[in-house]
Amino acid sequence: MKKTKTYIKLGVLLAMGVHLTGCTDLDETIYSNIKTENFYNNKLEVNQAALRPFTHMQAWLAPTGQNGYYYHSELSADQLAWPQKGRHGYDGGDHFRLHYHTWTDNESRLRGAWGLMWMGLGLVNNAIADIEGLDIAKIGLTEQERTTLVAQLKVMRGFHYLKIMDLWGNVPIVTKVADPINPETRPRAEVFQFVEQEFVENIPLLPVTSAQNIGQINMAAGYAMLSELYLNAEKWTGTARWDDCIAACDKIISGQAGGIGGAPKLSPDINSLFSNTNDANPESLFQFQYSRKAGFTFDWGGFFMGYDNIKDVLKVGYGGWNAFVVIPTAFDAFADNDLRKKDWFLFGPQYKYGTTDPVLGTEEWDGKPFAYVNSIRRESEGDLTSEGSMAEGEENSGARFNKYKSGTLDDANYQENDYIIYRLTEIYFNKAEALMRKNGGTATTEAVALVNESRKRAFSAADWPTAQYTVSSLTLNEMLEERGREFIFEGKRRTDMIRFGKFTNGTWWDHKPTNDANKELFAIPANQRAINPNLDQNPGY
């Protein structure tokens, strides 16, 4: 039977409102009526089909200016905010509602995230169906090669569902394109079981991680995903899976899943993993291989960079929207002798690159020396003491992002940074947390050693004796704090806060607790429920 690749098939899940314009920074080719056997003529075209869902992931997972998973995970938590800065940044109150946990089921950015993520899932389902149905003998593909490709896609499908389940909880389970047309909502525990099955059945079929398959869905990446799934199992299903989390972590730590250059290992310092030469860093387990030279740049400037005066500070060719800032209480969570506080942020007076010539402001501090401050209030108008608020920012409010560094315009590797999705440090932290929770919330010697192995990179040899954790000082609350410091800007904070019970009853800067457990899930967008009457709304909306 002939199978046809149609607009509906590529667009995927139109019943859920997915549209092809959601991935606006990717070139999209629409095939209105191309037969599958005419489209897949060789191995290259099969691989292209398998990789297409992967390239789409950057639109919703990486902080590249799309309103996807990253935006909602970070701006609803206690480290990053997008305050109004004078005449800029109110944007209809979107960022305010996210910060104060007052969002509704009619948020345009939430609709965008839903569309991007479900479109990605549809692209995965489409590729699986096509590749499973191919006459591989005609194109020179072996059965083993097909098995590996399909396993990679099914693990990718599990990853999509992991993140969708994280944001919305109870959602449909769909494995075929537009079938059914109006899928029904399934309980989160059932979605969890589906994700677990995808991982457990297919991770062993993945290629062992190596320098030859950097950026692919490989075995270390799969076990990292499984580790995250089990770490959150108690919150997502009501049943703890600490031993399973530890087992998944051990597959990576032991080297059984492979690694770039052999077994994975921690970077020797806090900066090399995020540098513009991080393509083959042995700490990385899963990454987007961006490259300016190849025309696919990791462009974090929109969300994270200030206005164009930042070009002179960093000697780069990009500015930004002056959007995300570090919440004052999050910046205060770093000790002054913590090297991450010095290296991962732009803070204080800003000078033209390589000089002591001050950069000047362009808005509230127009024509005056410019300095980032650890406050979000109208200091240009004389307010030097208030708590401030989301409505009272200025162009220099808050410390700023400097974790990834592009290098200067004359650097041979300028903007060659890859975006790291999972890294070995996270696996150390996941195992340490699971060990502590198994032990009634008290640290074990092994848990302390795992966290200290990472933390010691952030302190000088002289400061380390008093900075290192002990069994008594590494409490669960301190574990959450250290996760925040180590993984700041990496898109993980909301999930961590929910797991530690701090998301809806915590206080940070001007955010007061809602004490509304329903806010641990986002609303199913109203327009999606209008399209599909079988979508149930989450409680509280």
Side-chain angles (χ1 to χ4, degrees):
M1 178 183 296
K2 291 184 177 180
K3 187 164 53 171
T4 299
K5 184 179 289 290
T6 64
Y7 178 92
I8 292 177
K9 192 167 188 183
L10 186 59
V12 182
L13 293 174
L14 294 184
M16 292 186 164
V18 175
H19 50 83
L20 289 164
T21 58
C23 198
T24 55
D25 60 337
L26 298 177
D27 292 331
E28 196 75 65
T29 301
I30 307 303
Y31 300 95
S32 60
N33 191 29
I34 297 178
K35 293 180 176 60
T36 297
E37 63 268 29
N38 293 332
F39 182 73
Y40 296 102
N41 295 304
N42 49 55
K43 285 185 182 181
L44 175 62
E45 290 178 351
V46 174
N47 285 324
Q48 286 173 335
L51 288 172
R52 178 64 189 92
F54 185 77
T55 61
H56 176 83
M57 276 172 54
Q58 65 86 21
W60 60 263
L61 186 60
T64 51
Q66 297 278 1
N67 299 310
Y69 178 88
Y70 187 97
Y71 170 89
H72 290 88
S73 293
E74 288 289 13
L75 294 198
S76 62
D78 66 349
Q79 292 189 315
L80 303 182
W82 188 339
Q84 182 177 354
K85 304 176 190 72
R87 61 196 176 109
H88 301 286
Y90 179 68
D91 294 349
D94 295 14
H95 324 306
F96 285 46
R97 291 189 294 276
L98 202 53
H99 176 78
Y100 294 122
H101 293 189
T102 57
W103 59 79
T104 70
D105 66 351
N106 195 33
E107 302 290 344
S108 63
R109 295 176 192 270
L110 194 62
R111 293 197 301 270
W114 177 279
L116 284 170
M117 295 174 76
W118 281 100
M119 178 183 173
L121 181 63
L123 289 168
V124 175
N125 285 338
N126 184 78
I128 291 173
D130 279 354
I131 293 172
E132 285 184 333
L134 284 176
D135 183 350
I136 57 175
K138 291 183 177 180
I139 57 175
L141 196 70
T142 68
E143 193 60 53
Q144 179 59 52
E145 288 171 329
R146 172 159 59 186
T147 297
T148 299
L149 279 175
V150 171
Q152 289 178 313
L153 286 163
K154 288 185 175 180
V155 171
M156 191 187 304
R157 180 164 65 189
F159 181 70
H160 276 71
Y161 262 114
L162 186 154
K163 295 302 186 183
I164 288 170
M165 173 177 61
D166 184 14
L167 294 186
W168 289 288
N170 312 304
V171 294
I173 300 174
V174 181
T175 60
K176 297 180 180 179
V177 175
D179 181 17
I181 294 298
N182 290 321
E184 296 181 351
T185 299
R186 308 310 304 166
R188 193 187 220 180
E190 186 176 330
V191 181
F192 182 100
Q193 290 173 353
F194 172 77
V195 174
E196 181 183 18
Q197 181 178 344
E198 292 282 83
F199 287 165
V200 170
E201 291 181 356
N202 291 286
I203 290 173
L205 304 176
L206 298 177
V208 172
T209 302
S210 71
Q212 284 68 51
N213 57 32
I214 296 170
Q216 296 180 24
I217 305 286
N218 48 42
M219 193 173 288
Y223 280 118
M225 296 171 191
L226 189 61
S227 166
E228 180 180 355
L229 183 75
Y230 287 142
L231 187 67
N232 291 284
E234 186 172 43
K235 172 57 66 174
W236 291 348
T237 71
T239 301
R241 302 286 294 273
W242 307 126
D243 284 329
D244 290 325
C245 177
I246 292 167
C249 292
D250 282 342
K251 290 285 189 180
I252 298 170
I253 295 170
S254 68
Q256 292 180 63
I260 299 173
K265 60 182 179 181
L266 297 183
S267 293
D269 58 72
I270 61 172
N271 293 315
S272 57
L273 183 60
F274 309 103
S275 73
N276 61 9
T277 58
N278 69 343
D279 182 69
N281 191 288
E283 184 173 329
S284 177
L285 304 174
F286 187 34
Q287 64 205 71
F288 287 134
Q289 284 193 289
Y290 287 100
S291 171
R292 179 187 58 84
K293 296 173 185 176
F296 195 51
T297 305
F298 175 23
D299 184 9
W300 61 76
F303 277 156
F304 279 120
M305 291 296 100
Y307 301 132
D308 279 354
N309 57 1
I310 205 67
K311 294 178 180 180
D312 291 333
V313 175
L314 300 176
K315 195 181 176 183
V316 296
Y318 53 85
W321 307 330
N322 202 16
F324 290 4
V325 312
V326 179
I327 289 173
T329 47
F331 192 64
D332 286 338
F334 290 82
D336 287 341
N337 64 346
D338 189 328
L339 299 178
R340 295 169 296 191
K341 191 172 189 177
K342 170 181 175 289
D343 286 2
W344 288 356
F345 304 93
L346 295 174
F347 186 71
Q350 300 298 300
Y351 302 100
K352 294 180 181 180
Y353 185 83
T355 77
T356 56
D357 297 336
V359 168
L360 304 181
T362 60
E363 296 287 330
E364 290 86 2
W365 300 90
D366 186 23
K368 299 177 182 178
F370 185 80
Y372 286 120
V373 296
N374 189 33
S375 58
I376 304 173
R377 60 192 176 208
R378 302 296 295 177
E379 295 195 352
S380 67
E381 299 172 358
D383 181 4
L384 302 179
T385 59
S386 79
E387 178 181 66
S389 73
M390 286 287 287
E392 298 175 85
E394 297 185 332
E395 62 178 318
N396 65 337
S397 294
R400 302 304 174 89
F401 169 92
N402 197 33
K403 195 168 191 175
Y404 282 86
K405 299 174 179 66
S406 67
T408 57
L409 284 166
D410 53 2
D411 189 326
N413 293 301
Y414 174 62
Q415 285 191 305
E416 288 295 301
N417 312 69
D418 285 1
Y419 177 65
I420 308 300
I421 302 169
Y422 288 109
R423 55 189 176 106
L424 182 61
T425 301
E426 183 173 357
I427 304 306
Y428 279 19
F429 273 73
N430 289 358
K431 182 178 181 179
E433 183 182 331
L435 289 168
M436 292 176 68
R437 292 189 184 277
K438 274 189 62 178
N439 196 40
T442 300
T444 65
T445 301
E446 183 180 8
V448 171
L450 286 165
V451 177
N452 275 341
E453 188 69 17
S454 164
R455 180 174 166 84
K456 70 181 181 182
R457 299 176 297 183
F459 293 89
S460 69
D463 289 337
W464 180 238
T466 57
Q468 64 184 305
Y469 287 121
T470 64
V471 170
S472 59
S473 64
L474 185 59
T475 62
L476 275 179
N477 185 65
E478 184 58 29
M479 172 66 84
L480 176 63
E481 292 297 303
E482 183 63 7
R483 285 190 77 105
R485 288 184 285 263
E486 179 63 25
F487 301 111
I488 191 168
F489 304 122
E490 294 187 42
K492 305 177 186 294
R493 189 58 175 171
R494 169 186 166 274
T495 309
D496 287 346
M497 292 187 73
I498 290 173
R499 190 174 64 256
F500 279 82
K502 301 290 188 181
F503 187 66
T504 59
N505 60 8
T507 299
W508 52 91
W509 178 44
D510 74 329
H511 174 97
K512 304 300 186 289
T514 63
N515 296 310
D516 180 2
N518 293 322
K519 294 299 184 181
E520 290 185 351
L521 293 177
F522 286 103
I524 306 296
N527 70 316
Q528 305 300 330
R529 297 187 67 232
I531 295 168
N532 178 5
N534 291 328
L535 283 178
D536 297 331
Q537 185 56 276
N538 283 323
Y541 296 101

